[in-house]
mmCIF file of all heavy atoms in Angstrom:
data_model
loop_
_atom_site.group_PDB
_atom_site.id
_atom_site.type_symbol
_atom_site.label_atom_id
_atom_site.label_comp_id
_atom_site.label_asym_id
_atom_site.label_seq_id
_atom_site.Cartn_x
_atom_site.Cartn_y
_atom_site.Cartn_z
ATOM 1 N N ILE A 1 -47.718 183.703 -56.087
ATOM 2 C CA ILE A 1 -47.155 184.614 -57.082
ATOM 3 C C ILE A 1 -47.827 185.980 -57.004
ATOM 4 O O ILE A 1 -47.166 187.029 -57.052
ATOM 5 C CB ILE A 1 -47.300 183.997 -58.489
ATOM 6 C CG1 ILE A 1 -46.373 182.780 -58.629
ATOM 7 C CG2 ILE A 1 -46.977 185.031 -59.572
ATOM 8 C CD1 ILE A 1 -46.592 182.006 -59.897
ATOM 9 N N TYR A 2 -49.162 185.990 -56.859
ATOM 10 C CA TYR A 2 -49.875 187.267 -56.779
ATOM 11 C C TYR A 2 -49.439 188.048 -55.538
ATOM 12 O O TYR A 2 -49.212 189.270 -55.595
ATOM 13 C CB TYR A 2 -51.377 187.018 -56.747
ATOM 14 C CG TYR A 2 -52.209 188.277 -56.731
ATOM 15 C CD1 TYR A 2 -52.567 188.905 -57.921
ATOM 16 C CD2 TYR A 2 -52.626 188.854 -55.531
ATOM 17 C CE1 TYR A 2 -53.320 190.071 -57.909
ATOM 18 C CE2 TYR A 2 -53.377 190.012 -55.507
ATOM 19 C CZ TYR A 2 -53.725 190.614 -56.706
ATOM 20 O OH TYR A 2 -54.465 191.771 -56.691
ATOM 21 N N ALA A 3 -49.311 187.349 -54.419
ATOM 22 C CA ALA A 3 -48.915 188.035 -53.184
ATOM 23 C C ALA A 3 -47.505 188.593 -53.295
ATOM 24 O O ALA A 3 -47.234 189.723 -52.851
ATOM 25 C CB ALA A 3 -49.020 187.068 -52.006
ATOM 26 N N MET A 4 -46.594 187.841 -53.884
ATOM 27 C CA MET A 4 -45.215 188.309 -53.990
ATOM 28 C C MET A 4 -45.096 189.488 -54.948
ATOM 29 O O MET A 4 -44.361 190.446 -54.679
ATOM 30 C CB MET A 4 -44.315 187.157 -54.451
ATOM 31 C CG MET A 4 -44.152 186.050 -53.425
ATOM 32 S SD MET A 4 -43.151 184.676 -54.032
ATOM 33 C CE MET A 4 -41.547 185.470 -54.214
ATOM 34 N N LEU A 5 -45.804 189.454 -56.082
ATOM 35 C CA LEU A 5 -45.674 190.527 -57.066
ATOM 36 C C LEU A 5 -46.377 191.802 -56.613
ATOM 37 O O LEU A 5 -45.923 192.909 -56.935
ATOM 38 C CB LEU A 5 -46.242 190.067 -58.417
ATOM 39 C CG LEU A 5 -45.430 189.000 -59.155
ATOM 40 C CD1 LEU A 5 -46.114 188.623 -60.459
ATOM 41 C CD2 LEU A 5 -44.015 189.482 -59.431
ATOM 42 N N THR A 6 -47.486 191.687 -55.906
ATOM 43 C CA THR A 6 -48.226 192.878 -55.491
ATOM 44 C C THR A 6 -47.648 193.507 -54.225
ATOM 45 O O THR A 6 -47.706 194.729 -54.053
ATOM 46 C CB THR A 6 -49.700 192.531 -55.266
ATOM 47 O OG1 THR A 6 -49.805 191.417 -54.352
ATOM 48 C CG2 THR A 6 -50.371 192.167 -56.579
ATOM 49 N N ARG A 7 -47.092 192.682 -53.341
ATOM 50 C CA ARG A 7 -46.543 193.209 -52.087
ATOM 51 C C ARG A 7 -45.037 193.403 -52.130
ATOM 52 O O ARG A 7 -44.484 194.088 -51.261
ATOM 53 C CB ARG A 7 -46.907 192.272 -50.931
ATOM 54 C CG ARG A 7 -48.404 192.089 -50.737
ATOM 55 C CD ARG A 7 -48.668 191.027 -49.687
ATOM 56 N NE ARG A 7 -50.105 190.728 -49.591
ATOM 57 C CZ ARG A 7 -50.619 189.747 -48.837
ATOM 58 N NH1 ARG A 7 -49.802 188.989 -48.116
ATOM 59 N NH2 ARG A 7 -51.915 189.536 -48.815
ATOM 60 N N GLY A 8 -44.372 192.783 -53.094
ATOM 61 C CA GLY A 8 -42.925 192.901 -53.173
ATOM 62 C C GLY A 8 -42.191 192.194 -52.063
ATOM 63 O O GLY A 8 -41.050 192.562 -51.739
ATOM 64 N N GLN A 9 -42.802 191.169 -51.467
ATOM 65 C CA GLN A 9 -42.185 190.452 -50.359
ATOM 66 C C GLN A 9 -41.563 189.153 -50.847
ATOM 67 O O GLN A 9 -42.114 188.497 -51.734
ATOM 68 C CB GLN A 9 -43.221 190.159 -49.279
ATOM 69 C CG GLN A 9 -43.835 191.399 -48.650
ATOM 70 C CD GLN A 9 -44.919 191.056 -47.638
ATOM 71 O OE1 GLN A 9 -45.315 189.908 -47.512
ATOM 72 N NE2 GLN A 9 -45.386 192.065 -46.929
ATOM 73 N N PRO A 10 -40.431 188.750 -50.289
ATOM 74 C CA PRO A 10 -39.816 187.483 -50.701
ATOM 75 C C PRO A 10 -40.579 186.291 -50.155
ATOM 76 O O PRO A 10 -41.363 186.404 -49.210
ATOM 77 C CB PRO A 10 -38.403 187.573 -50.104
ATOM 78 C CG PRO A 10 -38.560 188.458 -48.912
ATOM 79 C CD PRO A 10 -39.619 189.462 -49.280
ATOM 80 N N TYR A 11 -40.317 185.148 -50.756
ATOM 81 C CA TYR A 11 -40.968 183.920 -50.314
ATOM 82 C C TYR A 11 -40.245 183.364 -49.087
ATOM 83 O O TYR A 11 -39.012 183.295 -49.061
ATOM 84 C CB TYR A 11 -40.952 182.880 -51.437
ATOM 85 C CG TYR A 11 -41.502 181.536 -51.021
ATOM 86 C CD1 TYR A 11 -42.868 181.327 -50.897
ATOM 87 C CD2 TYR A 11 -40.632 180.476 -50.743
ATOM 88 C CE1 TYR A 11 -43.368 180.097 -50.518
ATOM 89 C CE2 TYR A 11 -41.132 179.238 -50.366
ATOM 90 C CZ TYR A 11 -42.500 179.059 -50.248
ATOM 91 O OH TYR A 11 -42.985 177.831 -49.874
ATOM 92 N N VAL A 12 -41.023 182.994 -48.073
ATOM 93 C CA VAL A 12 -40.489 182.411 -46.849
ATOM 94 C C VAL A 12 -40.939 180.958 -46.807
ATOM 95 O O VAL A 12 -42.140 180.668 -46.736
ATOM 96 C CB VAL A 12 -40.976 183.167 -45.598
ATOM 97 C CG1 VAL A 12 -40.411 182.517 -44.336
ATOM 98 C CG2 VAL A 12 -40.572 184.636 -45.673
ATOM 99 N N GLU A 13 -39.984 180.041 -46.858
ATOM 100 C CA GLU A 13 -40.286 178.621 -46.905
ATOM 101 C C GLU A 13 -40.689 178.094 -45.526
ATOM 102 O O GLU A 13 -40.048 178.405 -44.520
ATOM 103 C CB GLU A 13 -39.084 177.837 -47.436
ATOM 104 C CG GLU A 13 -39.194 176.332 -47.319
ATOM 105 C CD GLU A 13 -40.359 175.769 -48.118
ATOM 106 O OE1 GLU A 13 -40.820 176.451 -49.071
ATOM 107 O OE2 GLU A 13 -40.793 174.661 -47.800
ATOM 108 N N LYS A 14 -41.777 177.307 -45.496
ATOM 109 C CA LYS A 14 -42.181 176.589 -44.298
ATOM 110 C C LYS A 14 -41.676 175.149 -44.391
ATOM 111 O O LYS A 14 -41.662 174.572 -45.462
ATOM 112 C CB LYS A 14 -43.704 176.593 -44.148
ATOM 113 C CG LYS A 14 -44.313 177.964 -43.965
ATOM 114 C CD LYS A 14 -45.815 177.858 -43.811
ATOM 115 C CE LYS A 14 -46.459 179.224 -43.651
ATOM 116 N NZ LYS A 14 -47.940 179.109 -43.532
ATOM 117 N N SER A 15 -41.291 174.597 -43.281
ATOM 118 C CA SER A 15 -40.754 173.244 -43.271
ATOM 119 C C SER A 15 -41.882 172.219 -43.340
ATOM 120 O O SER A 15 -43.055 172.524 -43.110
ATOM 121 C CB SER A 15 -39.918 173.020 -42.010
ATOM 122 O OG SER A 15 -40.730 173.167 -40.847
ATOM 123 N N ILE A 16 -41.502 170.970 -43.633
ATOM 124 C CA ILE A 16 -42.483 169.881 -43.642
ATOM 125 C C ILE A 16 -43.024 169.653 -42.241
ATOM 126 O O ILE A 16 -44.193 169.274 -42.062
ATOM 127 C CB ILE A 16 -41.839 168.602 -44.214
ATOM 128 C CG1 ILE A 16 -41.377 168.838 -45.651
ATOM 129 C CG2 ILE A 16 -42.790 167.428 -44.143
ATOM 130 C CD1 ILE A 16 -40.767 167.622 -46.301
ATOM 131 N N GLU A 17 -42.179 169.900 -41.206
ATOM 132 C CA GLU A 17 -42.653 169.743 -39.838
ATOM 133 C C GLU A 17 -43.796 170.698 -39.537
ATOM 134 O O GLU A 17 -44.744 170.348 -38.816
ATOM 135 C CB GLU A 17 -41.499 169.986 -38.855
ATOM 136 C CG GLU A 17 -40.423 168.908 -38.841
ATOM 137 C CD GLU A 17 -39.506 168.986 -40.046
ATOM 138 O OE1 GLU A 17 -39.553 170.020 -40.757
ATOM 139 O OE2 GLU A 17 -38.747 168.020 -40.283
ATOM 140 N N ALA A 18 -43.730 171.918 -40.097
ATOM 141 C CA ALA A 18 -44.832 172.864 -39.900
ATOM 142 C C ALA A 18 -46.108 172.354 -40.542
ATOM 143 O O ALA A 18 -47.202 172.507 -39.986
ATOM 144 C CB ALA A 18 -44.452 174.228 -40.473
ATOM 145 N N PHE A 19 -45.988 171.729 -41.723
ATOM 146 C CA PHE A 19 -47.177 171.165 -42.360
ATOM 147 C C PHE A 19 -47.746 170.011 -41.537
ATOM 148 O O PHE A 19 -48.962 169.907 -41.367
ATOM 149 C CB PHE A 19 -46.831 170.679 -43.771
ATOM 150 C CG PHE A 19 -47.961 169.971 -44.458
ATOM 151 C CD1 PHE A 19 -48.986 170.681 -45.060
ATOM 152 C CD2 PHE A 19 -48.010 168.580 -44.494
ATOM 153 C CE1 PHE A 19 -50.025 170.026 -45.685
ATOM 154 C CE2 PHE A 19 -49.048 167.917 -45.122
ATOM 155 C CZ PHE A 19 -50.062 168.646 -45.714
ATOM 156 N N GLU A 20 -46.876 169.133 -41.030
ATOM 157 C CA GLU A 20 -47.347 168.009 -40.233
ATOM 158 C C GLU A 20 -48.013 168.490 -38.953
ATOM 159 O O GLU A 20 -49.029 167.929 -38.516
ATOM 160 C CB GLU A 20 -46.178 167.079 -39.907
ATOM 161 C CG GLU A 20 -45.577 166.379 -41.112
ATOM 162 C CD GLU A 20 -46.569 165.443 -41.785
ATOM 163 O OE1 GLU A 20 -47.526 165.004 -41.117
ATOM 164 O OE2 GLU A 20 -46.384 165.159 -42.993
ATOM 165 N N THR A 21 -47.469 169.544 -38.338
ATOM 166 C CA THR A 21 -48.101 170.096 -37.131
ATOM 167 C C THR A 21 -49.473 170.664 -37.442
ATOM 168 O O THR A 21 -50.444 170.449 -36.686
ATOM 169 C CB THR A 21 -47.195 171.190 -36.534
ATOM 170 O OG1 THR A 21 -45.914 170.636 -36.237
ATOM 171 C CG2 THR A 21 -47.796 171.760 -35.271
ATOM 172 N N THR A 22 -49.587 171.388 -38.552
ATOM 173 C CA THR A 22 -50.887 171.950 -38.941
ATOM 174 C C THR A 22 -51.893 170.843 -39.227
ATOM 175 O O THR A 22 -53.061 170.927 -38.814
ATOM 176 C CB THR A 22 -50.704 172.841 -40.181
ATOM 177 O OG1 THR A 22 -49.743 173.852 -39.908
ATOM 178 C CG2 THR A 22 -52.019 173.492 -40.569
ATOM 179 N N ARG A 23 -51.465 169.790 -39.926
ATOM 180 C CA ARG A 23 -52.375 168.695 -40.230
ATOM 181 C C ARG A 23 -52.787 167.947 -38.960
ATOM 182 O O ARG A 23 -53.947 167.541 -38.806
ATOM 183 C CB ARG A 23 -51.726 167.739 -41.219
ATOM 184 C CG ARG A 23 -52.667 166.636 -41.690
ATOM 185 C CD ARG A 23 -52.084 165.830 -42.810
ATOM 186 N NE ARG A 23 -50.904 165.072 -42.394
ATOM 187 C CZ ARG A 23 -50.344 164.127 -43.159
ATOM 188 N NH1 ARG A 23 -50.852 163.847 -44.358
ATOM 189 N NH2 ARG A 23 -49.278 163.480 -42.734
ATOM 190 N N HIS A 24 -51.836 167.784 -38.021
ATOM 191 C CA HIS A 24 -52.172 167.120 -36.755
ATOM 192 C C HIS A 24 -53.214 167.911 -35.987
ATOM 193 O O HIS A 24 -54.180 167.353 -35.432
ATOM 194 C CB HIS A 24 -50.892 166.945 -35.925
ATOM 195 C CG HIS A 24 -51.132 166.340 -34.580
ATOM 196 N ND1 HIS A 24 -51.371 167.101 -33.448
ATOM 197 C CD2 HIS A 24 -51.192 165.038 -34.177
ATOM 198 C CE1 HIS A 24 -51.560 166.313 -32.418
ATOM 199 N NE2 HIS A 24 -51.452 165.043 -32.826
ATOM 200 N N ASP A 25 -53.047 169.239 -35.920
ATOM 201 C CA ASP A 25 -54.026 170.072 -35.213
ATOM 202 C C ASP A 25 -55.392 170.018 -35.894
ATOM 203 O O ASP A 25 -56.433 169.993 -35.214
ATOM 204 C CB ASP A 25 -53.527 171.513 -35.158
ATOM 205 C CG ASP A 25 -52.260 171.654 -34.322
ATOM 206 O OD1 ASP A 25 -51.996 170.755 -33.506
ATOM 207 O OD2 ASP A 25 -51.540 172.663 -34.507
ATOM 208 N N ARG A 26 -55.402 169.984 -37.232
ATOM 209 C CA ARG A 26 -56.670 169.907 -37.945
ATOM 210 C C ARG A 26 -57.375 168.580 -37.672
ATOM 211 O O ARG A 26 -58.583 168.542 -37.468
ATOM 212 C CB ARG A 26 -56.416 170.086 -39.449
ATOM 213 C CG ARG A 26 -57.708 170.242 -40.250
ATOM 214 C CD ARG A 26 -57.443 170.273 -41.741
ATOM 215 N NE ARG A 26 -56.512 171.340 -42.102
ATOM 216 C CZ ARG A 26 -55.321 171.136 -42.614
ATOM 217 N NH1 ARG A 26 -54.867 169.904 -42.804
ATOM 218 N NH2 ARG A 26 -54.543 172.154 -42.930
ATOM 219 N N GLN A 27 -56.635 167.493 -37.680
ATOM 220 C CA GLN A 27 -57.223 166.193 -37.395
ATOM 221 C C GLN A 27 -57.741 166.112 -35.961
ATOM 222 O O GLN A 27 -58.799 165.519 -35.697
ATOM 223 C CB GLN A 27 -56.195 165.090 -37.651
ATOM 224 C CG GLN A 27 -55.838 164.899 -39.118
ATOM 225 C CD GLN A 27 -54.723 163.886 -39.301
ATOM 226 O OE1 GLN A 27 -54.064 163.502 -38.348
ATOM 227 N NE2 GLN A 27 -54.517 163.462 -40.549
ATOM 228 N N LEU A 28 -56.999 166.714 -35.024
ATOM 229 C CA LEU A 28 -57.436 166.706 -33.636
ATOM 230 C C LEU A 28 -58.724 167.485 -33.449
ATOM 231 O O LEU A 28 -59.645 167.043 -32.732
ATOM 232 C CB LEU A 28 -56.325 167.276 -32.745
ATOM 233 C CG LEU A 28 -56.605 167.317 -31.229
ATOM 234 C CD1 LEU A 28 -56.861 165.909 -30.704
ATOM 235 C CD2 LEU A 28 -55.450 167.974 -30.489
ATOM 236 N N ARG A 29 -58.850 168.635 -34.106
ATOM 237 C CA ARG A 29 -60.087 169.420 -33.997
ATOM 238 C C ARG A 29 -61.263 168.666 -34.604
ATOM 239 O O ARG A 29 -62.393 168.723 -34.083
ATOM 240 C CB ARG A 29 -59.902 170.772 -34.688
ATOM 241 C CG ARG A 29 -58.978 171.724 -33.935
ATOM 242 C CD ARG A 29 -59.110 173.151 -34.481
ATOM 243 N NE ARG A 29 -58.749 173.219 -35.885
ATOM 244 C CZ ARG A 29 -57.522 173.482 -36.332
ATOM 245 N NH1 ARG A 29 -56.522 173.659 -35.454
ATOM 246 N NH2 ARG A 29 -57.260 173.553 -37.613
ATOM 247 N N ALA A 30 -61.021 167.939 -35.714
ATOM 248 C CA ALA A 30 -62.094 167.157 -36.326
ATOM 249 C C ALA A 30 -62.556 166.037 -35.395
ATOM 250 O O ALA A 30 -63.766 165.771 -35.254
ATOM 251 C CB ALA A 30 -61.626 166.582 -37.664
ATOM 252 N N LEU A 31 -61.615 165.362 -34.733
ATOM 253 C CA LEU A 31 -61.991 164.309 -33.792
ATOM 254 C C LEU A 31 -62.753 164.876 -32.596
ATOM 255 O O LEU A 31 -63.708 164.248 -32.095
ATOM 256 C CB LEU A 31 -60.735 163.583 -33.319
ATOM 257 C CG LEU A 31 -60.037 162.686 -34.342
ATOM 258 C CD1 LEU A 31 -58.735 162.137 -33.766
ATOM 259 C CD2 LEU A 31 -60.949 161.553 -34.783
ATOM 260 N N GLN A 32 -62.361 166.043 -32.123
ATOM 261 C CA GLN A 32 -63.074 166.663 -31.001
ATOM 262 C C GLN A 32 -64.503 167.046 -31.386
ATOM 263 O O GLN A 32 -65.434 166.896 -30.577
ATOM 264 C CB GLN A 32 -62.294 167.878 -30.512
ATOM 265 C CG GLN A 32 -60.990 167.528 -29.805
ATOM 266 C CD GLN A 32 -60.166 168.752 -29.465
ATOM 267 O OE1 GLN A 32 -60.443 169.863 -29.965
ATOM 268 N NE2 GLN A 32 -59.146 168.567 -28.625
ATOM 269 N N ARG A 33 -64.696 167.523 -32.617
ATOM 270 C CA ARG A 33 -66.058 167.831 -33.045
ATOM 271 C C ARG A 33 -66.925 166.578 -33.104
ATOM 272 O O ARG A 33 -68.086 166.588 -32.700
ATOM 273 C CB ARG A 33 -66.019 168.515 -34.422
ATOM 274 C CG ARG A 33 -65.539 169.952 -34.392
ATOM 275 C CD ARG A 33 -65.854 170.668 -35.709
ATOM 276 N NE ARG A 33 -65.223 170.004 -36.840
ATOM 277 C CZ ARG A 33 -64.023 170.327 -37.315
ATOM 278 N NH1 ARG A 33 -63.318 171.287 -36.724
ATOM 279 N NH2 ARG A 33 -63.518 169.681 -38.355
ATOM 280 N N LYS A 34 -66.361 165.476 -33.648
ATOM 281 C CA LYS A 34 -67.120 164.231 -33.709
ATOM 282 C C LYS A 34 -67.444 163.707 -32.309
ATOM 283 O O LYS A 34 -68.549 163.187 -32.061
ATOM 284 C CB LYS A 34 -66.330 163.185 -34.491
ATOM 285 C CG LYS A 34 -66.200 163.472 -35.973
ATOM 286 C CD LYS A 34 -65.429 162.378 -36.689
ATOM 287 C CE LYS A 34 -65.309 162.678 -38.177
ATOM 288 N NZ LYS A 34 -64.548 161.618 -38.882
ATOM 289 N N ALA A 35 -66.488 163.843 -31.391
ATOM 290 C CA ALA A 35 -66.730 163.379 -30.023
ATOM 291 C C ALA A 35 -67.837 164.174 -29.349
ATOM 292 O O ALA A 35 -68.688 163.613 -28.640
ATOM 293 C CB ALA A 35 -65.435 163.467 -29.215
ATOM 294 N N ARG A 36 -67.858 165.498 -29.558
ATOM 295 C CA ARG A 36 -68.908 166.311 -28.954
ATOM 296 C C ARG A 36 -70.288 165.951 -29.505
ATOM 297 O O ARG A 36 -71.293 165.969 -28.782
ATOM 298 C CB ARG A 36 -68.615 167.791 -29.184
ATOM 299 C CG ARG A 36 -67.513 168.346 -28.286
ATOM 300 C CD ARG A 36 -67.500 169.866 -28.310
ATOM 301 N NE ARG A 36 -67.227 170.385 -29.640
ATOM 302 C CZ ARG A 36 -66.015 170.686 -30.075
ATOM 303 N NH1 ARG A 36 -64.949 170.465 -29.291
ATOM 304 N NH2 ARG A 36 -65.835 171.173 -31.277
ATOM 305 N N LYS A 37 -70.361 165.636 -30.799
ATOM 306 C CA LYS A 37 -71.642 165.243 -31.375
ATOM 307 C C LYS A 37 -72.159 163.927 -30.782
ATOM 308 O O LYS A 37 -73.365 163.719 -30.640
ATOM 309 C CB LYS A 37 -71.502 165.095 -32.901
ATOM 310 C CG LYS A 37 -71.344 166.408 -33.644
ATOM 311 C CD LYS A 37 -71.257 166.189 -35.159
ATOM 312 C CE LYS A 37 -71.101 167.512 -35.885
ATOM 313 N NZ LYS A 37 -70.984 167.315 -37.361
ATOM 314 N N LEU A 38 -71.220 163.040 -30.418
ATOM 315 C CA LEU A 38 -71.601 161.750 -29.826
ATOM 316 C C LEU A 38 -71.695 161.813 -28.310
ATOM 317 O O LEU A 38 -71.972 160.791 -27.660
ATOM 318 C CB LEU A 38 -70.573 160.675 -30.226
ATOM 319 C CG LEU A 38 -70.466 160.381 -31.723
ATOM 320 C CD1 LEU A 38 -69.326 159.403 -31.984
ATOM 321 C CD2 LEU A 38 -71.784 159.810 -32.245
ATOM 322 N N GLY A 39 -71.507 162.986 -27.738
ATOM 323 C CA GLY A 39 -71.578 163.126 -26.277
ATOM 324 C C GLY A 39 -70.402 162.525 -25.545
ATOM 325 O O GLY A 39 -70.548 162.055 -24.414
ATOM 326 N N LEU A 40 -69.238 162.500 -26.176
ATOM 327 C CA LEU A 40 -68.059 161.907 -25.589
ATOM 328 C C LEU A 40 -66.996 162.975 -25.390
ATOM 329 O O LEU A 40 -67.082 164.078 -25.923
ATOM 330 C CB LEU A 40 -67.527 160.773 -26.483
ATOM 331 C CG LEU A 40 -68.501 159.629 -26.793
ATOM 332 C CD1 LEU A 40 -67.854 158.664 -27.797
ATOM 333 C CD2 LEU A 40 -68.902 158.894 -25.536
ATOM 334 N N ASP A 41 -66.003 162.615 -24.610
ATOM 335 C CA ASP A 41 -64.846 163.481 -24.380
ATOM 336 C C ASP A 41 -63.573 162.742 -24.769
ATOM 337 O O ASP A 41 -63.416 161.554 -24.456
ATOM 338 C CB ASP A 41 -64.752 163.894 -22.915
ATOM 339 C CG ASP A 41 -65.894 164.846 -22.508
ATOM 340 O OD1 ASP A 41 -66.343 165.604 -23.388
ATOM 341 O OD2 ASP A 41 -66.334 164.805 -21.334
ATOM 342 N N LEU A 42 -62.673 163.433 -25.430
ATOM 343 C CA LEU A 42 -61.380 162.870 -25.787
ATOM 344 C C LEU A 42 -60.412 163.082 -24.629
ATOM 345 O O LEU A 42 -60.269 164.199 -24.116
ATOM 346 C CB LEU A 42 -60.821 163.528 -27.050
ATOM 347 C CG LEU A 42 -61.533 163.216 -28.366
ATOM 348 C CD1 LEU A 42 -60.849 163.941 -29.508
ATOM 349 C CD2 LEU A 42 -61.517 161.732 -28.633
ATOM 350 N N VAL A 43 -59.744 162.018 -24.247
ATOM 351 C CA VAL A 43 -58.791 162.071 -23.152
ATOM 352 C C VAL A 43 -57.416 161.714 -23.705
ATOM 353 O O VAL A 43 -57.268 160.644 -24.349
ATOM 354 C CB VAL A 43 -59.169 161.091 -22.009
ATOM 355 C CG1 VAL A 43 -58.140 161.157 -20.888
ATOM 356 C CG2 VAL A 43 -60.553 161.425 -21.490
ATOM 357 N N PRO A 44 -56.407 162.555 -23.532
ATOM 358 C CA PRO A 44 -55.070 162.208 -24.043
ATOM 359 C C PRO A 44 -54.546 160.941 -23.390
ATOM 360 O O PRO A 44 -54.796 160.668 -22.204
ATOM 361 C CB PRO A 44 -54.221 163.420 -23.674
ATOM 362 C CG PRO A 44 -55.195 164.525 -23.458
ATOM 363 C CD PRO A 44 -56.432 163.896 -22.909
ATOM 364 N N ALA A 45 -53.810 160.161 -24.190
ATOM 365 C CA ALA A 45 -53.229 158.935 -23.669
ATOM 366 C C ALA A 45 -52.107 159.252 -22.690
ATOM 367 O O ALA A 45 -51.450 160.289 -22.789
ATOM 368 C CB ALA A 45 -52.700 158.050 -24.809
#
């Protein structure tokens, strides 16, 4: 609301697929950090 009222820009809806993609990337980065701490490498299936 603050961004729309101060900038005068309309709201642009993001799809649920965009949220799922963002969450997938976040989970992947978290797994990669844990793997590096354990001295391991993640290999795609």
Side-chain angles (χ1 to χ4, degrees):
I1 291 172
Y2 183 87
M4 292 177 66
L5 290 179
T6 53
R7 301 173 186 174
Q9 298 177 352
Y11 175 77
V12 179
E13 170 62 22
K14 297 181 181 179
S15 62
I16 299 182
E17 290 76 13
F19 175 80
E20 294 296 337
T21 302
T22 303
R23 186 171 65 169
H24 177 269
D25 295 340
R26 189 186 303 116
Q27 291 175 347
L28 181 60
R29 289 194 299 269
L31 289 175
Q32 290 174 347
R33 286 194 301 268
K34 291 181 180 180
R36 284 194 298 267
K37 288 182 180 179
L38 297 175
L40 303 175
D41 291 329
L42 290 180
V43 179

